[in-house]
Amino acid sequence: MNFNEISFRVRYGETDQMGVVYHGNYAQYMEMGRVEWLREMGISYKTMEENGIMLPVISLHVNYKKPAVYDDLITVKTILKKTPSVKIEFDFEIYNEAHEILADATVVLAFMDMKRNRPVRCPQYLLDTIAENQS
């Protein structure tokens, strides 16, 4: 399972005065996608943090193609780019109900030991789960 998709409706509070989704909200949409990607594989991000691993974003690149507006049903497709090491990289496609691409993006996160505040390798249980889901 290299990818997953989640769909939801744009809320009024996510739009600006022009009635379109404020650009900063796309980062939250991608976070929702990543968390659900993990959850679909049986891994809770909350549990990862409780076990001392956090995933700060170290790079975010978004290409905005077309605006999303209030009440649009949008889908966020989260795609694992490659097997993680100290970093984990995702590609994203965000599209509307007509399957028009609204934005695409790449996000890189680092595995961090919360106690030492230092980068660490991807936890073995995550690597094992990724390998199991790719078979």
Side-chain angles (χ1 to χ4, degrees):
M1 194 237 13
N2 288 350
F3 77 93
N4 85 319
E5 294 180 336
I6 61 167
S7 297
F8 51 89
R9 292 212 176 267
V10 172
R11 296 172 293 195
Y12 183 79
E14 295 168 343
T15 63
D16 61 19
Q17 288 184 329
M18 295 180 291
V20 301
V21 171
Y22 171 69
H23 72 276
N25 286 322
Y26 286 84
Q28 290 182 343
Y29 296 164
M30 288 178 264
E31 179 184 4
M32 291 166 56
R34 289 190 306 273
V35 169
E36 291 306 317
W37 178 86
L38 283 167
R39 188 184 321 276
E40 192 170 303
M41 291 198 311
I43 296 171
S44 160
Y45 184 70
K46 180 180 178 184
T47 302
M48 281 180 67
E49 284 192 338
E50 290 170 352
N51 290 324
I53 300 293
M54 63 181 171
L55 281 169
V57 172
I58 60 173
S59 174
L60 168 66
H61 180 82
V62 183
N63 296 305
Y64 300 98
K65 309 285 188 182
K66 185 175 181 164
V69 297
Y70 169 65
D71 207 38
D72 272 359
L73 179 64
I74 62 173
T75 298
V76 177
K77 183 176 184 178
T78 305
I79 306 152
L80 179 67
K81 281 184 80 163
K82 60 185 177 183
T83 302
S85 58
V86 175
K87 298 176 188 173
I88 187 167
E89 299 179 47
F90 293 99
D91 283 335
F92 293 88
E93 296 172 359
I94 300 174
Y95 53 91
N96 62 18
E97 218 166 345
H99 293 281
E100 299 169 312
I101 293 284
L102 306 176
D104 58 44
T106 299
V107 178
V108 181
L109 304 98
F111 291 95
M112 295 286 288
D113 180 309
M114 294 171 71
K115 289 181 185 165
R116 297 184 307 133
N117 200 31
R118 306 290 274 164
V120 294
R121 295 194 62 74
C122 177
Q124 189 61 48
Y125 66 86
L126 179 53
L127 292 171
D128 292 344
T129 300
I130 290 169
E132 289 170 14
N133 283 286
Q134 288 180 343
S135 314

